[in-house]
Amino acid sequence: MEQPFSLTSEVRDNRLIITTNGYVNNIGGAAIADEFQRHFLGGVRHVIIDLALSRVVNSVGMSFLIEIIEKLTETGGRLVFTNLDPSVDKMLGIMGLYDFAGKEATTEDAIRTLAIRS
């Protein structure tokens, strides 16, 4: 049985941290994009997406993540993925997303990486 998608978010030092739980499909991807957009309009340009509890991202969910990367890239921002399941990590790599977004083992690692780049 598929688990319903949910997310939490917080902003630390002007860095948005989105933590997901569940399948990142059209519903999960849209929820992530909506949360991102709300903070992006408020000026946040560095985003961390923690996918520890999301073990599957389909192509539609991936398209929402690509849109976020594009918006951040256009405005000098940066996205970092954390806590990746090996299959999600492999998929992001195959799709070439690491050419435009980062990955770190933990959210704290991502915060440090973004602090260095800021």
Side-chain angles (χ1 to χ4, degrees):
M1 176 140 191
E2 193 173 302
Q3 177 183 356
F5 182 84
S6 64
L7 65 76
T8 60
S9 70
E10 66 175 295
V11 176
R12 279 195 241 166
D13 296 328
N14 207 30
R15 292 167 183 82
L16 173 62
I17 302 165
I18 298 174
T19 302
T20 66
N21 186 351
Y23 185 24
V24 181
N25 54 13
N26 60 320
I27 295 168
I32 293 169
D34 289 347
E35 188 66 13
F36 161 75
Q37 186 67 17
R38 186 168 68 88
H39 292 279
F40 183 75
L41 293 174
V44 170
R45 295 296 182 262
H46 296 294
V47 178
I48 298 164
I49 299 181
D50 182 341
L51 293 168
L53 299 176
S54 293
R55 304 214 179 273
V56 179
V57 179
N58 74 7
S59 60
V60 178
M62 188 67 68
S63 70
F64 284 101
L65 299 177
I66 291 169
E67 285 182 32
I68 292 170
I69 291 169
E70 288 175 347
K71 286 183 178 179
L72 290 171
T73 300
E74 291 170 0
T75 57
R78 180 91 172 148
L79 172 65
V80 178
F81 294 103
T82 66
N83 293 307
L84 296 168
D85 180 85
S87 63
V88 173
D89 183 25
K90 183 176 180 180
M91 182 176 164
L92 294 173
I94 290 170
M95 302 248 340
L97 267 63
Y98 295 135
D99 291 341
F100 307 98
K103 71 174 177 178
E104 293 291 343
T106 68
T107 299
E108 295 306 318
D109 291 340
I111 290 170
R112 281 190 291 277
T113 296
L114 289 173
I116 292 168
R117 294 181 59 96
S118 297

